[in-house]
Amino acid sequence: MASPRTVFTVAAVQTEPVFGAVEANLAALDHHLADVGADLIVLPELCSTGYSFQDRAEALELAETFPEGPLSQRLLAWSARTGGMLVAGFAEREGEQVYNAAAVVAAGEPLGTYRKLHLFGFERECYDRSEGPLRVFEHEGLRVGVMICFDWMFPEAARTLALQGADVIAHPSNLVLPGWCQQAMLVRALENRVYTLTANRTGTEHRPPRPELRFTGLSRIAGPDGKALADAAEQDAAVLSASVDTTVSRCKTIASGNDVFAERRQHDYRGWAP
Ligand code: ACM
């Protein structure tokens, strides 16, 4: 019997969507993805619509249902071509509810969505409160947990995914704080001994009454040793890639037999003990 596959290629794509120009944004993604054949590809948060919805009505109008909507259909086509998994941020509509979500597909099939738990700033005026759930999707032996942008600030999110067995955390983002997340993701990767792919966007948006926002780029792939495996610049589109070894992400022993998951003292972490 052949041994299970343990090495995979992963890619994070940095883009600059134009607010509301869904078809143009999808065409730009077509262009960026044309030569990318990775087992996992991660795209930014809200990658087909842009970020700064003026109100909930506008979010609902530009949102799509999964997997019928235009971004979902493109994801299915791209993943049918690569045979791998794609994770991409989008505004998800379900009836009259709207969520800041990520779509997950693999090899031409829809796997599901994750709905962002920690909404940032004015997002709370545009989206419904989500129940997540934080979950791990598996395709051909690679286990991918999903969180979105500001979830990074809550170490419990990455830890919950790692405890569910994630090898990789896919992290679609539209980051606006000054580089904090990109730094923190080295620690999220190290403390959980997983790979992380933060696919951020670049450019600016100014849609009153929302403040002008400058997105910080610097998309990053980090490894279980807390080191950056690939980094993008602050501006410009980019495709980052790296190799993932699941024998590394599934080993939680760091020194002298210290297994950092087995040695957790859940009963002493008062107030939070999954
Ligand atoms: C963010 O969560 N998009 C800042």
Side-chain angles (χ1 to χ4, degrees):
M1 200 173 79
S3 26
R5 191 173 162 204
T6 59
V7 177
F8 299 83
T9 55
V10 296
V13 182
Q14 175 165 297
T15 61
E16 184 176 346
V18 175
F19 186 88
V22 172
E23 265 316 309
N25 294 331
L26 292 176
L29 287 170
D30 266 333
H31 171 74
H32 296 309
L33 292 178
D35 299 324
V36 185
D39 298 302
L40 168 68
I41 301 173
V42 185
L43 304 179
E45 181 181 13
L46 296 164
C47 66
S48 55
T49 56
Y51 181 75
S52 298
F53 294 111
Q54 286 171 317
D55 52 30
R56 179 187 161 79
E58 193 176 56
L60 261 172
E61 189 188 319
L62 280 168
E64 65 177 67
T65 58
F66 178 81
E68 297 79 16
L71 173 71
S72 309
Q73 289 297 306
R74 270 317 215 282
L75 292 171
L76 291 171
W78 293 323
S79 71
R81 173 179 65 75
T82 63
M85 195 185 283
L86 273 98
V87 179
F90 76 120
E92 181 183 9
R93 181 174 188 142
E94 186 178 59
E96 288 310 302
Q97 311 291 299
V98 61
Y99 300 98
N100 184 342
V104 186
V105 304
E109 298 295 330
L111 297 189
T113 67
Y114 161 68
R115 295 168 174 172
K116 185 178 186 179
L117 283 176
H118 303 100
L119 297 176
F120 184 74
F122 65 74
E123 291 178 29
R124 285 168 293 190
E125 297 165 30
C126 296
Y127 302 105
D128 287 287
R129 183 181 160 84
S130 130
E131 304 293 325
L134 287 161
R135 56 186 280 214
V136 172
F137 299 84
E138 181 161 356
H139 179 64
E140 293 188 341
L142 182 66
R143 299 179 193 150
V144 178
V146 182
M147 63 185 204
I148 299 175
C149 205
F150 192 47
D151 286 334
W152 73 268
M153 189 66 185
F154 302 85
E156 296 90 342
R159 176 53 57 95
T160 299
L161 293 169
L163 288 173
Q164 287 180 49
D167 297 301
V168 176
I169 294 179
H171 183 214
S173 295
N174 276 188
L175 295 161
V176 293
L177 298 173
W180 296 344
C181 168
Q182 291 90 334
Q183 288 299 312
M185 290 311 288
L186 299 176
V187 180
R188 298 289 167 275
L190 176 67
E191 67 200 357
N192 291 298
R193 303 286 291 161
V194 296
Y195 297 85
T196 62
L197 279 80
T198 299
N200 194 20
R201 63 160 290 179
T202 62
T204 58
E205 281 184 8
H206 192 199
R207 306 197 66 253
R210 306 306 179 203
E212 178 164 12
L213 293 176
R214 190 181 69 79
F215 301 96
T216 57
L218 301 170
S219 294
R220 165 166 275 176
I221 302 179
D225 60 357
K227 296 211 170 82
L229 300 176
D231 278 324
E234 263 177 71
Q235 273 136 28
D236 302 327
V239 178
L240 305 178
S241 59
S243 180
V244 159
D245 185 341
T246 59
T247 60
V248 178
S249 52
R250 291 179 197 182
C251 173
K252 306 300 181 187
T253 300
I254 56 157
S256 315
N258 285 115
D259 179 319
V260 293
F261 277 17
E263 291 174 40
R264 295 172 61 249
R265 299 276 302 258
Q266 294 97 306
H267 301 296
D268 298 309
Y269 304 150
R270 291 176 196 194
W272 186 68

